[in-house]
Amino acid sequence: MIFDTHAHYDDEQFDIDREELIASFKEAGIGNVTNIGANLAGSQRSMDLAHKYDFFYAAVGVHPSDTEELNEENIKALYEWSRDEKCVAIGEIGLDYHWPDPTPEVQKKWFVRQLQIARKVKLPVIIHSREAAADTLQIMHDEHAEDIGGVVHCFSYSKEVAKQCVDMGFYIGIGGVLTFKNGRKMVEVVENTPMDRILLETDCPYLAPEPYRGKRNNSTYLPYVVTKMAQIKGISEEEVIRITTENAKRMYRIS
Ligand SMILES: [Zn+2]
């Protein structure tokens, strides 16, 4: 069964059919899902989903684009949630320089702060990094992220950057972009990253694979990513599913 390690089923795009869609997962070969918080309200919704569905887990954290909502008072909620057995990671956290706001200073401050919380509560991190490779690696080194562990999700950088992340003990999150016609860079990342360091993810509702590119994404489209990965790695689709699911359980420390 496939483990979707990064999804946002709390997104309003799923309001029309969330229950039905989730009810179809088992039959579609989706065994587990981690729902990822992108802000404080989304983190609460992730916890709610993880309590509602036994095969769901939650990550709690604040995405770089939403860090302006944070202060020393409200960030304490992460500690509370982290004590829950269905909470398996701190994330998504990181840096996103695609948009001008919040400033890099604000983003860096809360990335570091949330890494420190993950260290304290002994949970892995889910790192979101876009157009910010150098600063992300710098902070990971400075904060000794190798002791914390986690994944660089929706990986968008070169194979060289992927290697640096893997060398720090991190996993590489791969999703729909792998199937895109202009996805050559991701093919190279998959070619050069050991199979035991790769996680499958949708990042749904975003980044649907071909042939659904541009549509609303969901976990039942992951087999398209599996097929492409199996071709690149020269192994069977069953092997891709088995290994990536083992990787996900190892990273999220789910037995
Ligand atoms: Zn995400």
Side-chain angles (χ1 to χ4, degrees), residues 6 8 36 92 153 203:
H6 192 118
H8 299 280
I36 312 292
E92 53 189 294
H153 108 90
D203 203 17

Side-chain angles (χ1 to χ4, degrees), residues 95-97 127-137 152-162 165 185-186 188-189:
L95 302 174
D96 192 327
Y97 293 170
I127 295 180
H128 169 103
S129 179
R130 186 181 186 197
E131 297 172 27
D135 283 1
T136 302
L137 287 169
V152 182
H153 108 90
C154 190
F155 195 82
S156 60
Y157 300 130
S158 66
K159 60 180 193 280
E160 290 80 14
V161 175
C165 297
K185 194 161 82 167
M186 277 317 99
E188 275 182 19
V189 167

Side-chain angles (χ1 to χ4, degrees), residues 28-145:
I30 309 304
N32 292 100
V33 175
T34 303
N35 203 81
I36 312 292
N39 49 41
L40 293 173
S43 296
Q44 180 61 62
R45 293 194 298 267
S46 287
M47 294 301 299
D48 294 344
L49 283 166
H51 285 136
K52 181 164 183 183
Y53 300 103
D54 61 348
F55 62 102
F56 265 60
Y57 295 91
V60 296
V62 176
H63 183 286
S65 299
D66 275 355
T67 43
E68 263 161 357
E69 73 168 341
L70 283 173
N71 56 52
E72 278 305 323
E73 205 43 49
N74 64 18
I75 202 169
K76 287 178 188 156
L78 299 187
Y79 289 101
E80 294 300 316
W81 287 317
S82 73
R83 278 197 273 269
D84 191 294
E85 60 172 357
K86 295 302 287 282
C87 179
V88 293
I90 299 295
E92 53 189 294
I93 65 175
L95 302 174
D96 192 327
Y97 293 170
H98 185 71
W99 309 107
D101 293 314
T103 63
E105 283 57 47
V106 170
Q107 294 188 33
K108 284 191 224 174
K109 172 185 165 181
W110 293 110
F111 180 28
V112 168
R113 189 76 186 83
Q114 292 183 92
L115 279 169
Q116 291 167 346
I117 290 174
R119 173 187 298 283
K120 212 165 211 162
V121 302
K122 299 187 169 63
L123 286 178
V125 287
I126 295 154
I127 295 180
H128 169 103
S129 179
R130 186 181 186 197
E131 297 172 27
D135 283 1
T136 302
L137 287 169
Q138 186 65 51
I139 287 176
M140 288 169 75
H141 280 291
D142 292 350
E143 293 300 316
H144 296 283

